[in-house]
Amino acid sequence: MEGAMDALSKICEDIPQVLDLDVPGLAERPINIFLPRLLQLFQSPHASLRKLSLGSVNQYIMPMPGALYVSMDEYLQGLFVLANDPAPEVRKLVCAAFVQLIEVRPSFLEVGSFVC
């Protein structure tokens, strides 16, 4: 599973827009399928999977596809949980996510804009 996540992470890092395109033969865009699963992996008992899933989702903060926009409450809840992660590399990615969110969509972090 770690190998598959590593490959997906590299795709998200190098060419994130590819997963947010319509693909002939698929009912949904790939990001709509992958994003809920990536968010679930925030709760993995394996630090490497938490790190890879968070790093993958973070690649979509700047382009902000609709799938992430509608899942923002869940994403933010996951970030707040991961802020206390025992793995320093995961906490570093949480900080990077908050910095990007402040740059792109500060309204998401305003008090009362999401449910904890």
Side-chain angles (χ1 to χ4, degrees):
M1 187 163 181
E2 190 173 335
M5 271 305 307
D6 190 45
L8 181 59
S9 175
K10 289 188 182 359
I11 291 169
C12 292
E13 184 178 332
D14 293 343
I15 47 174
Q17 66 279 3
V18 169
L19 295 179
D20 191 31
L21 296 174
D22 292 322
V23 176
L26 289 181
E28 295 186 66
R29 290 178 175 198
I31 190 67
N32 296 342
I33 298 164
F34 283 116
L35 186 65
R37 288 164 178 82
L38 291 171
L39 294 173
Q40 288 175 347
L41 286 172
F42 284 13
Q43 300 170 21
S44 172
H46 305 287
S48 60
L49 294 178
R50 293 191 307 274
K51 176 185 157 209
L52 290 167
S53 63
L54 178 55
S56 296
V57 177
N58 285 358
Q59 297 301 317
Y60 290 95
I61 293 173
M62 294 297 188
M64 193 59 67
L68 181 55
Y69 187 86
V70 299
S71 300
M72 188 53 63
D73 285 347
E74 185 180 354
Y75 175 58
L76 289 173
Q77 289 171 19
L79 286 179
F80 283 111
V81 170
L82 292 176
N84 295 311
D85 197 275
E89 57 273 2
V90 172
R91 293 192 311 270
K92 181 179 174 183
L93 288 171
V94 169
C95 292
F98 282 125
V99 167
Q100 288 182 52
L101 283 168
I102 288 169
E103 288 178 15
V104 177
R105 299 285 176 122
S107 61
F108 285 139
L109 299 175
E110 291 176 1
V111 176
S113 65
F114 61 92
V115 178
C116 281

